[in-house]
Amino acid sequence: GDLDKVVNLLLSLSGRLARVETALGSLGPHTPAEDKLALREKQRLLVAQLEDAKELKEHVGRREEAVGAMVARYLPAEHLQDYQHFVKMKSALIAEQRELEEKIKLGQEQLRCLRESL
């Protein structure tokens, strides 16, 4: 459960940071200084939060290793391999699910915009 939460947090923060950086990059020369400053402050906060989330992921990783060592004492080799594969794939599947959800959301937004333009 903690792994799910941390991976979702990392994906959310990195997505938000990417959007802020894109917004910063697309600012024109006539953008008010207060808007630029607000975006830079948001970027700074997101970078700090992302670093904190990475530390959390490392902590969860260490805990995962400790649990894995304990599980290894009780499971036969074949079940242990299944367990290790499950843990390894869980993060990848969470990231893939999140990416697909974002693509669906983007597609729905584009569809809404197309309908409004007709």
Side-chain angles (χ1 to χ4, degrees):
D2 289 346
L3 181 62
D4 291 352
K5 291 173 188 171
V6 170
V7 169
N8 280 324
L9 177 62
L10 284 167
L11 290 171
S12 175
L13 289 171
S14 58
R16 289 172 58 198
L17 181 60
R19 285 190 294 277
V20 167
E21 289 175 345
T22 299
L24 275 170
S26 65
L27 292 178
H30 304 294
T31 303
E34 60 197 27
D35 291 350
K36 291 178 185 179
L37 186 61
L39 281 173
R40 285 191 184 111
E41 179 62 16
K42 194 174 210 179
Q43 179 187 33
R44 187 189 65 75
L45 289 172
L46 286 169
V47 166
Q49 289 174 341
L50 190 58
E51 289 303 314
D52 290 344
K54 287 178 182 178
E55 287 179 23
L56 277 174
K57 185 167 187 320
E58 289 174 12
H59 175 72
V60 168
R62 288 190 299 273
R63 210 171 67 201
E64 178 185 315
E65 289 176 17
V67 169
M70 188 176 4
V71 167
R73 286 186 261 162
Y74 298 102
L75 288 181
E78 144 187 334
H79 291 184
L80 180 61
Q81 287 177 344
D82 290 342
Y83 169 79
Q84 290 169 337
H85 178 72
F86 169 77
V87 171
K88 186 170 96 176
M89 292 304 297
K90 189 165 176 115
S91 292
L93 291 173
I94 292 168
E96 186 175 339
Q97 178 185 6
R98 182 69 176 249
E99 184 179 330
L100 290 172
E101 288 170 353
E102 288 180 11
K103 285 181 180 180
I104 289 169
K105 188 176 172 182
L106 177 63
Q108 290 171 337
E109 187 177 318
Q110 289 173 338
L111 185 59
R112 182 185 54 78
C113 289
L114 283 172
R115 285 186 179 145
E116 289 175 0
S117 68
L118 294 175

